[in-house]
Amino acid sequence: MKMRCQKARKYVSLAMDRRLGPEASHELAEHLSACPACRERQQEQAWLLELVNASPGLQPSPRFYAALREKIDHDLARPKLFAFSPAPLRPALLRAAMFLILAISAMFGFILSGRLDAPAATTPAAVFDQTLNLNAYADMPADSFGAVYDRLLQGEFR
Amino acid sequence: MTETASDEELLRLAAAGDQHAFALLVQRHQSRVFNLAYRFSRDRQDAEELAQEIFFKVWRHARSFRGDSLFSTWLYRLAVNSCLNHRQGKKARPEPHTLTGDLPAGSAADAAGDGLVAAEMETRLRAALDSLPARQRVALALASFEDKSYEDIAAAMEVSVPAVESLLFRARQNLAAILRPLRKKGEL
């Protein structure tokens, strides 16, 4: 009994759906002939399959399509966004709307950046103030990396 | 011409506004979709509404069907998603299922004179199926009731084939574990 029971039970499930190749089927048969517990599980699965297959199929009511048509007609009657435009134009309209939103955002971006831009700094100390004002280094010991870096940024070593 | 057209052709016509083509498409698939919905919902009314919702989505998204898969694969994907969403949206109802009223007249069970036993078995089976996790139930419904291949189930559920194997294996193990005591007692 080389095959493990867990694998055999997986094979039983596959065999029920006719998904087991000849070699695997042979392996399974060998295992089942030597393992009563898996044989019992196989019989149980066969019984389950029979039980499930015996479950009756049903038909929808004769009014099924009529009710569906009512839903569709109701939906068609509702006013919709872009309803004024012919359907083939709608993707183009959506793209145009997206482009417009992007263009307006970019325009506002340019305007705001122009307003917020301070005059360019000319001295190292001014550059430091505008960009890398790292006050966190202020209280560090004079020979620490942070303090030296702070002094470097301020142009002390030039 | 329309009666012999493929599903994909009918969908293309339906997308262009051909009501007859859409009606034919629904007629071809309504029974399968309804039965799949029925395995999920708790009663006929719910199943009918769910199946209608699925076909409504077909109508609505007909234009977006690109034709890179079969219509049936696309339909089942819509159906599976709708069923899973429907299940998530509904709170579990505790009452047991009785299928007695839904058994077709003159069924084999009735003919054998043991309709009550068959209905009881059906009720217990449905209760057991209902207790499975939703995705295991979908896989089992598609494999057992719809006789779909693993590849079709994988496409409908948007998972891999080994994932389908695993879902079906676990579904059957769970179902067997639930029904085993009844089988041993001889109640099923």
Side-chain angles (χ1 to χ4, degrees):
Chain A
M1 192 167 36
K2 283 178 193 165
M3 188 189 273
R4 284 176 183 273
C5 291
Q6 182 69 6
K7 189 176 176 188
R9 286 167 197 184
K10 277 186 182 164
Y11 275 15
V12 166
S13 176
L14 291 171
M16 285 172 67
D17 296 321
R18 301 174 297 279
R19 300 278 303 187
L20 213 54
E23 202 177 313
S25 297
H26 179 71
E27 258 184 86
L28 176 64
E30 235 177 36
H31 179 88
L32 291 177
S33 66
C35 177
C38 285
R39 214 164 42 239
E40 163 66 20
R41 290 295 169 88
Q42 186 208 25
Q43 284 162 5
E44 187 179 70
Q45 289 295 327
W47 165 79
L48 257 182
L49 184 69
E50 205 177 303
L51 197 66
V52 167
N53 285 347
S55 180
L58 303 171
Q59 287 298 319
S61 74
R63 271 210 87 250
F64 182 81
Y65 183 72
L68 173 64
R69 196 67 243 173
E70 277 167 23
K71 262 186 197 174
I72 291 173
D73 291 341
H74 180 72
D75 187 72
L76 283 172
R78 270 187 10 213
K80 289 185 182 68
L81 193 67
F82 294 132
F84 59 89
S85 65
L89 282 180
R90 283 175 205 164
L93 278 172
L94 272 173
R95 276 191 205 110
M98 280 167 60
F99 178 77
L100 201 65
I101 291 169
L102 273 174
I104 291 171
S105 309
M107 201 174 74
F108 270 104
F110 280 124
I111 293 169
L112 285 175
S113 65
R115 281 193 185 172
L116 296 177
D117 261 359
T122 49
T123 62
V127 170
F128 174 79
D129 279 345
Q130 276 188 5
T131 55
L132 294 162
N133 192 356
L134 305 173
N135 284 329
Y137 294 140
D139 297 330
M140 289 191 172
D143 56 347
S144 71
F145 172 78
V148 173
Y149 186 55
D150 184 26
R151 279 153 54 204
L152 172 74
L153 289 174
Q154 297 195 54
E156 196 174 298
F157 301 116
R158 288 189 186 182
Chain B
M1 176 254 167
T2 328
E3 275 71 15
T4 55
S6 68
D7 288 344
E8 292 75 21
E9 178 65 8
L10 287 178
L11 188 67
R12 197 185 59 75
L13 291 170
D18 186 336
Q19 289 197 14
H20 180 60
F22 183 66
L24 206 59
L25 204 57
V26 173
Q27 197 190 327
R28 276 186 194 175
H29 295 277
Q30 64 180 17
S31 179
R32 283 174 165 243
V33 169
F34 173 72
N35 272 288
L36 183 66
Y38 188 71
R39 310 287 171 202
F40 274 84
S41 60
R42 308 277 168 146
D43 59 34
R44 265 197 98 100
Q45 188 66 33
D46 258 8
E48 197 129 331
E49 278 171 22
L50 184 53
Q52 278 169 9
E53 187 190 310
I54 292 162
F55 281 112
F56 181 75
K57 283 180 185 167
V58 168
W59 171 79
R60 209 163 204 192
H61 301 294
R63 280 172 208 278
S64 69
F65 178 71
R66 293 191 303 270
D68 46 10
S69 66
L70 286 175
F71 168 75
S72 58
T73 306
W74 187 68
L75 173 65
Y76 271 97
R77 199 173 296 154
L78 268 182
V80 165
N81 284 335
S82 301
C83 286
L84 290 173
N85 291 341
H86 179 81
R87 195 166 166 84
Q88 275 171 0
K90 287 232 164 193
K91 282 184 182 169
R93 280 184 274 172
E95 74 265 25
H97 313 289
T98 50
L99 269 186
T100 334
D102 290 316
L103 285 170
S107 70
D110 285 338
D114 55 0
L116 275 175
V117 177
E120 177 64 17
M121 277 170 66
E122 179 69 26
T123 303
R124 289 180 181 215
L125 175 64
R126 279 198 62 77
L129 284 168
D130 274 355
S131 67
L132 293 179
R135 296 183 73 76
Q136 288 181 21
R137 212 167 143 213
V138 180
L140 196 64
L142 290 172
S144 302
F145 301 112
E146 303 295 321
D147 208 20
K148 291 278 171 199
S149 70
Y150 280 24
E151 286 75 14
D152 287 345
I153 299 170
M157 296 184 73
E158 296 176 271
V159 294
S160 65
V161 170
V164 172
E165 281 177 13
S166 170
L167 280 170
L168 282 171
F169 172 68
R170 281 184 282 132
R172 286 173 175 146
Q173 294 288 309
N174 287 338
L175 203 56
I178 297 164
L179 295 173
R180 192 173 296 137
L182 299 173
R183 185 181 177 229
K184 287 200 170 148
K185 275 199 274 175
E187 289 179 20
L188 275 179

